[in-house]
């Protein structure tokens, strides 16, 4: 099978997972990270679609929270929205559909674990939402957003973990007598493009997460550890 045929097959597979028909060229663009673009003659990448998708995501989640929770004030609504559209939450959603396998990454980014980096997964998710909006319209894009975020909205514990994964992990560890989580963080890359990798150990669970800051990396690791510890519990 040729590379083009493989690409088309992958796009069709991802389209089926998303449940919305997206123009193949736009879908491919939404999956194209700037590292791939730079290695291929400065071709277009997904950051403009990401900009659009961020607005689509924010509006859909805002309206859903506003209509579903008349008992919450502005501050509580804002806090919930922030958790659902956070990098950590979007990366969790992306992993749920196996998005990393479809990314177009430069060689260096691919070799350093780019397919599982929270920031890349979250940005690509937003880019896909932008592509869906342009291809299928606002209603279909909103429906896609709500399908993707529903697991967070429907499960209070998971919702809480996405809002504050370090606290949720600490509380779960206490309930399961696993001892307090222990974190370690390593940094790599130049000062202008620093990447952090956090490792957390709690009981027999060891989880890792990455991010552009120490805090983001620790949150990512904590959420992964929380999911694994929850499954075991």
């Amino acid at each position: 099978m040729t590379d083009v045929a493989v690409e088309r097959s992958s796009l069709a597979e991802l389209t089926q997972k998303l449940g919305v028909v997206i123009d193949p060229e736009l879908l491919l663009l939404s999956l194209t990270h700037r590292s791939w673009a730079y290695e291929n003659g400065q071709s277009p990448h997904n950051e403009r679609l990401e900009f659009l998708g961020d607005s689509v995501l924010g509006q859909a989640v805002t309206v859903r929270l506003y209509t579903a929770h008349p008992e919450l004030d502005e501050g509580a609504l804002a806090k919930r929205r922030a958790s659902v559209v956070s990098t950590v939450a979007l990366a969790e959603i992306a992993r749920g559909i196996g998005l990393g396998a479809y990314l177009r990454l430069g060689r260096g980014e691919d070799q350093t674990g780019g397919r599982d980096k929270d920031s890349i997964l979250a940005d690509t998710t937003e880019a896909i939402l932008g592509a869906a909006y342009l291809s299928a319209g606002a209603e279909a894009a909103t429906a896609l957003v709500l399908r993707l975020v529903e697991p967070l909205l429907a499960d209070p514990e998971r919702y809480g973990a996405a809002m504050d994964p370090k606290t949720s992990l600490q509380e779960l560890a206490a309930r399961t007598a696993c001892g307090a989580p222990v974190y370690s963080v390593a940094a790599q890359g130049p000062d202008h493009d620093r990447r952090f990798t956090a490792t957390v150990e709690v009981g027999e669970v060891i989880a890792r997460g990455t991010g552009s800051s120490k805090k983001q990396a620790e949150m990512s690791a904590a959420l992964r550890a929380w999911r694994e510890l929850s499954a075991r519990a």
Side-chain angles (χ1 to χ4, degrees):
M1 188 178 290
T2 66
D3 289 344
V4 173
V6 169
E7 201 165 76
R8 287 177 179 171
S9 175
S10 295
L11 291 179
E13 182 179 78
L14 179 57
T15 297
Q16 187 173 18
K17 287 184 178 183
L18 295 171
V20 60
V21 178
I22 301 176
D23 177 84
E25 290 188 10
L26 279 175
L27 182 56
L28 188 61
L29 179 60
S30 73
L31 300 169
T32 304
H33 188 255
R34 63 176 178 269
S35 62
W36 189 94
Y38 293 159
E39 291 182 9
N40 289 271
Q42 300 292 323
S43 61
H45 51 75
N46 65 6
E47 290 182 1
R48 279 176 53 84
L49 284 175
E50 176 197 337
F51 171 78
L52 175 61
D54 178 67
S55 294
V56 174
L57 171 69
Q59 182 181 41
V61 171
T62 298
V63 173
R64 174 60 179 270
L65 289 173
Y66 182 87
T67 56
H69 296 283
E71 77 282 4
L72 297 180
D73 62 19
E74 179 188 5
L77 290 171
K79 186 177 181 180
R80 291 200 177 198
R81 178 179 61 191
S83 72
V84 174
V85 303
S86 71
T87 296
V88 171
L90 291 177
E92 181 185 3
I93 289 167
R95 291 188 185 96
I97 59 174
L99 187 58
Y102 303 98
L103 301 178
R104 298 173 99 192
L105 299 176
R107 289 186 296 275
E109 192 65 69
D110 199 2
Q111 291 169 0
T112 56
R115 294 186 185 279
D116 198 41
K117 285 182 181 176
D118 282 8
S119 58
I120 292 178
L121 289 171
D123 291 347
T124 304
T125 300
E126 290 182 333
I128 287 174
L129 297 176
Y133 179 90
L134 294 176
S135 296
E139 187 175 339
T142 296
L144 174 60
V145 170
L146 297 180
R147 282 199 303 276
L148 292 176
V149 304
E150 187 58 37
L152 286 174
L153 297 175
D155 186 340
E157 283 200 23
R158 193 173 181 186
Y159 196 104
M163 290 179 70
D164 189 353
K166 293 184 70 174
T167 298
S168 293
L169 177 60
Q170 185 173 344
E171 291 173 348
L172 179 58
R175 290 200 305 271
T176 54
C178 287
V182 178
Y183 294 85
S184 60
V185 181
Q188 62 181 9
D191 290 341
H192 68 277
D193 190 24
R194 207 73 164 155
R195 301 296 305 175
F196 296 84
T197 300
T199 302
V200 59
E201 297 185 38
V202 52
E204 297 180 356
V205 173
I206 299 176
R208 292 178 177 81
T210 62
S212 57
S213 68
K214 177 182 176 181
K215 179 180 179 181
Q216 189 180 81
E218 287 183 340
M219 288 175 63
S220 175
L223 184 58
R224 292 187 184 191
W226 179 88
R227 288 202 305 263
E228 186 172 342
L229 194 58
S230 293
R232 295 188 181 194

